[in-house]
């Protein structure tokens, strides 16, 4: 589908719900994208508009989903590509704008609970004049230059100024791009962001500019996931330990700055939300710890179409196949390398074991190449199979354990899909995985364990847990029984859709009463 073929709303038209999507549907396969598609298909009574934002176009070249009929509008924006600056020329900002910006930074620097919307009245005033501003006015103004140099002198004078300046610029360029996007976004009765971050900030802009309600659903906690990413990236240089910048001697000031930036975006998103949704209780507490008001925070678990997977139970062989399967993108957050190493350890106990990796590799090709190299270095070419994207119905009956080695998750749909097909799970202790395996409530726990939970980044623990499950046939079948009972009792698709139907009715009623 080319850009000319995208569904579009006219200037006077509006959607019921506008979904704000950062780095996910329709360009990335995976649990969150499947959830977005499931949500829209399951609510045909609503018209959805979709606003996709990503870093740059080179990472999102192919769409992996076909829009359902109730998608009435789609537009995409690549934040690194969309900010056009003119030739350097001094542009002065008015005093009120500078005062508002300074007060906003001071508010965010305090941390704690998300500010109330009334505390963002200055931002509201700026957004009301958004179409009057250009990016040049901010990037080439002496007032902004003074703010940057003051921050540098006060916080990190031992760092090279050039390094500080370009990181600050990299943080803020997407914000100015979002401002331009917000002016053009079609009207909707409700804006629903699927993360905080840049999509969440766009949601706040729309909440203030269009006076319509905003809600957020977080699968993983965006702020925490960005912190994990920031600990791993190598483009940020560590401080000389003898010249520590003062925020945290263990990691560089620039890393801290980026972390605080994303924490601030999270609190701003929470400020604008009528409802803050996540998938399980532990994540809700993380949101509250990051500033979400508890009274607006609720839990709605995922759900799967169980009847789709029930026939797959009969396709299983009479024996338990020595096949572990990791269904997911080949990216660092899934910690594919720990999974590969675990297969190498497990091979000593179960010589005919196979470890399948079923998922796309194009999102982070360098990491995928490193995973292939690791397989070769460990001599596991016969054991580890990179199968790419597959029809999950063809894979589920052939595996013995749905395996997750992730260092961060929300509430993985693949676990629920595996349960519905009669597949126990072996997972690291991330997200909601423990409660999915062991149960959350007393009634849930009475169903028994549906597999095993192990620590993150521990290939030996992963291998030992797999060996224990595969060697004890009675335990494996009991785990299978618990998996089927748990998904059928608590995680059916209709329950999930009914919960969102009720929530959308409430939020849309709120939005339609606003003019």
């Amino acid at each position: 589908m080319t850009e000319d073929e995208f569904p579009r709303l006219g200037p006077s038209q509006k959607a019921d719900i506008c979904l704000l999507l950062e780095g996910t549907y329709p360009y990335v396969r995976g649990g969150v994208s499947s959830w977005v598609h499931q949500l829209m298909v399951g609510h045909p009574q609503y018209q959805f508009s979709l606003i996709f934002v990503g870093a740059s176009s080179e990472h999102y070249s192919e769409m992996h989903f076909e829009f359902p009929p109730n998608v009435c509008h789609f537009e995409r924006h690549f934040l690194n590509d969309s900010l056009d600056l003119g030739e350097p020329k001094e542009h002065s900002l008015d005093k009120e704008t500078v005062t508002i910006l300074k007060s906003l930074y001071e508010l965010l620097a305090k941390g704690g609970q998300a500010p109330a919307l009334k505390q963002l009245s200055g931002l509201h005033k700026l957004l009301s004049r958004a179409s009057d501003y250009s990016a040049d006015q901010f990037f080439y103004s002496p007032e902004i230059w003074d703010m940057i140099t003051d921050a540098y002198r006060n916080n990190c004078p031992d760092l090279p100024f050039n390094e500080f300046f370009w990181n600050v610029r990299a943080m803020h360029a997407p914000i100015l791009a979002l401002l331009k996007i917000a002016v053009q976004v079609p009207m909707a009765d409700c804006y629903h962001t699927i993360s905080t971050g840049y999509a969440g900030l766009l949601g706040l802009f729309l909440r203030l500019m269009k006076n319509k309600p905003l809600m957020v659903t977080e699968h993983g906690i965006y702020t925490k996931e960005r912190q994990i990413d920031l600990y791993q990236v190598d483009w940020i240089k560590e401080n000389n330990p003898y010249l520590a910048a003062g925020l945290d001697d263990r990691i560089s000031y620039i890393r801290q700055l980026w972390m605080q930036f994303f924490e601030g975006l999270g609190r701003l998103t929470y400020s604008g939300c009528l409802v803050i949704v996540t998938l399980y209780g532990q994540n809700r507490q993380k949101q509250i710890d990051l500033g979400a008001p508890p009274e607006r925070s609720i839990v709605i678990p995922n759900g799967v179409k169980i009847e789709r997977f029930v026939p797959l139970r009969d396709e299983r062989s009479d024996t338990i196949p020595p096949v572990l399967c990791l269904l997911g993108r080949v990216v660092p957050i899934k910690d594919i390398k720990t999974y590969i190493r675990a297969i190498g350890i497990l091979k000593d106990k179960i010589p005919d074991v196979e470890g399948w990796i079923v998922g796309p590799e194009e999102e982070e090709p360098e990491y995928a190449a490193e995973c292939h190299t690791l397989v070769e270095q460990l001599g596991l070419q016969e054991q580890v199979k990179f199968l790419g994207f597959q029809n999950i119905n063809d894979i589920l009956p052939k595996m013995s354990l749905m395996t997750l080695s992730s260092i961060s998750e929300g509430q993985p749909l693949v676990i629920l899909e595996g349960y519905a097909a009669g597949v126990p799970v072996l997972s690291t202790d991330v997200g909601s995985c423990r409660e999915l395996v062991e149960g959350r409530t007393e009634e849930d726990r009475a169903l028994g364990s549906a597999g095993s939970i192990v620590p993150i980044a521990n290939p030996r623990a992963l291998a030992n847990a797999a060996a224990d499950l595969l060697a004890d046939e009675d335990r494996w079948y009991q785990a299978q029984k618990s998996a089927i009972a748990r998904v059928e009792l608590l995680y059916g698709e209709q329950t999930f859709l009914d919960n969102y139907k009720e929530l959308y009715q409430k939020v849309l009623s709120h939005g339609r009463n606003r003019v």
Side-chain angles (χ1 to χ4, degrees):
M1 181 182 291
T2 65
E3 190 140 4
D4 292 338
E5 297 172 310
F6 292 161
R8 297 282 190 179
L9 285 173
S12 62
Q13 297 175 303
K14 70 174 181 177
D16 297 306
I17 300 157
C18 176
L19 296 179
L20 308 175
L21 309 163
E22 181 176 340
T24 178
Y25 186 94
Y27 292 101
V28 175
R29 297 187 181 101
V32 176
S33 292
S34 297
W35 181 94
V36 170
H37 195 77
Q38 178 188 30
L39 184 75
M40 295 188 296
V41 170
H43 294 94
Q45 69 274 33
Y46 297 131
Q47 292 289 300
F48 289 86
S49 62
L50 311 179
I51 312 296
F52 172 90
V53 294
S56 58
S57 55
E58 62 183 316
H59 299 305
Y60 304 103
S61 58
E62 182 182 357
M63 296 174 63
H64 298 294
F65 291 84
E66 184 175 338
F67 295 141
N70 56 334
V71 170
C72 60
H73 180 88
F74 175 73
E75 58 185 81
R76 61 184 181 184
H77 301 277
F78 303 108
L79 301 182
N80 291 349
D81 305 342
S82 59
L83 188 63
D84 296 323
L85 294 175
E87 291 294 321
K89 177 183 177 183
E90 184 174 311
H91 292 267
S92 185
L93 282 176
D94 61 272
K95 290 183 179 180
E96 183 182 36
T97 296
V98 175
T99 300
I100 290 172
L101 289 174
K102 287 182 177 180
S103 64
L104 182 61
Y105 282 112
E106 289 172 3
L107 181 66
L108 291 175
K110 293 177 182 177
Q113 190 171 47
L117 269 185
K118 63 182 179 182
Q119 294 177 274
L120 302 178
S121 58
L123 176 60
H124 192 183
K125 184 176 290 187
L126 286 184
L127 292 172
S128 69
R129 306 200 301 261
S131 58
D132 298 332
Y133 290 112
S134 70
D136 292 36
Q137 288 175 272
F138 290 91
F139 275 108
Y140 298 145
S141 74
E143 295 83 6
I144 297 297
W145 175 260
D146 289 342
M147 289 175 63
I148 293 173
T149 54
D150 286 347
Y152 171 74
R153 293 189 190 100
N154 293 333
N155 293 291
C156 54
D158 296 313
L159 280 178
F161 176 74
N162 191 53
E163 181 181 346
F164 176 79
F165 173 82
W166 286 106
N167 275 277
V168 169
R169 179 180 169 120
M171 289 174 195
H172 290 78
I175 294 178
L176 295 175
L178 290 173
L179 192 62
K180 182 178 177 182
I181 293 166
V183 172
Q184 305 294 330
V185 168
M187 182 64 81
D189 287 321
C190 162
Y191 294 92
H192 184 181
T193 179
I194 313 304
S195 67
T196 59
Y198 291 117
L201 185 64
L202 176 59
L204 175 67
F205 288 172
L206 294 168
R207 163 68 184 86
L208 295 174
M209 294 168 72
K210 298 181 181 292
N211 195 30
K212 294 293 183 179
L214 172 69
M215 57 183 282
V216 61
T217 298
E218 289 194 271
H219 294 251
I221 301 300
Y222 184 100
T223 301
K224 293 296 184 184
E225 292 181 351
R226 295 293 74 75
Q227 286 178 347
I228 292 170
D229 292 341
L230 287 164
Y231 274 113
Q232 295 177 333
V233 296
D234 56 11
W235 50 265
I236 297 177
K237 298 177 183 178
E238 290 303 321
N239 295 333
N240 183 320
Y242 301 105
L243 298 174
L247 270 182
D248 187 336
D249 290 355
R250 294 168 298 173
I251 60 173
S252 75
Y253 175 78
I254 295 297
R255 281 188 214 271
Q256 286 281 356
L257 191 65
W258 276 99
M259 290 176 185
Q260 290 178 346
F261 174 73
F262 285 117
E263 287 174 7
L265 295 189
R267 287 199 298 278
L268 285 173
T269 304
Y270 295 150
S271 294
C273 286
L274 182 67
V275 184
I276 299 163
V277 188
T278 191
L279 309 179
Y280 58 101
Q282 186 180 0
N283 247 18
R284 177 178 179 269
Q285 186 56 53
K286 288 179 183 177
Q287 290 176 321
I288 293 169
D289 292 343
L290 289 165
E295 68 277 8
R296 286 188 260 146
S297 304
I298 65 171
V299 172
I300 298 180
N302 280 332
V304 293
K305 192 184 290 291
I306 296 170
E307 59 273 18
R308 170 190 165 190
F309 299 99
V310 169
L312 303 182
R313 302 173 194 173
D314 295 330
E315 295 182 22
R316 300 191 62 84
S317 67
D318 295 333
T319 59
I320 302 169
V323 176
L324 282 66
C325 184
L326 188 153
L327 273 165
R329 297 167 294 132
V330 182
V331 294
I333 205 165
K334 301 297 183 182
D335 199 3
I336 308 296
K337 294 179 183 179
T338 285
Y339 174 75
I340 292 169
R341 293 186 176 101
I343 298 299
I345 296 169
L346 187 57
K347 183 183 70 167
D348 294 336
K349 298 182 178 182
I350 305 175
D352 59 344
V353 70
E354 292 186 16
W356 296 355
I357 300 169
V358 177
E361 301 181 26
E362 67 270 13
E363 187 171 337
E364 298 206 31
E366 289 185 8
Y367 180 77
E370 291 171 6
C371 292
H372 281 272
T373 299
L374 180 61
V375 169
E376 294 170 4
Q377 290 173 340
L378 297 177
L380 298 174
Q381 293 93 328
E382 297 300 316
Q383 285 76 33
V384 177
K385 313 290 185 183
F386 291 87
L387 302 182
F389 182 74
Q390 299 284 328
N391 185 331
I392 191 173
N393 287 16
D394 297 333
I395 297 295
L396 286 169
K398 299 173 184 176
M399 69 175 78
S400 59
L401 292 172
M402 176 75 71
T403 308
L404 287 84
S405 52
S406 307
I407 58 176
S408 179
E409 285 285 354
Q411 190 180 66
L413 278 172
V414 292
I415 290 182
L416 301 179
E417 292 169 341
Y419 283 0
V423 183
V425 72
L426 171 59
S427 174
T428 45
D429 193 1
V430 291
S432 66
C433 295
R434 181 174 289 277
E435 71 179 42
L436 288 178
V437 171
E438 299 176 356
R440 180 172 58 90
T441 64
E442 186 175 342
E443 178 187 23
D444 192 1
R445 287 190 292 271
L447 298 173
S449 174
S452 288
I453 294 291
V454 299
I456 64 171
N458 190 329
R460 187 161 297 279
L462 196 68
N464 289 342
D468 291 345
L469 278 164
L470 295 178
D472 188 338
E473 189 173 286
D474 290 341
R475 184 182 171 198
W476 188 93
Y477 279 110
Q478 181 56 52
Q480 182 192 51
K481 180 180 177 182
S482 299
I484 292 171
R486 182 159 291 129
V487 74
E488 290 183 346
L489 179 66
L490 299 170
Y491 298 104
E493 181 185 57
Q494 197 55 51
T495 300
F496 155 75
L497 293 175
D498 288 345
N499 285 333
Y500 266 94
K501 179 181 178 182
E502 182 180 348
L503 179 59
Y504 275 150
Q505 286 174 341
K506 171 187 172 183
V507 175
L508 286 168
S509 174
H510 193 85
R512 288 165 180 164
N513 289 333
R514 292 169 178 260
V515 293

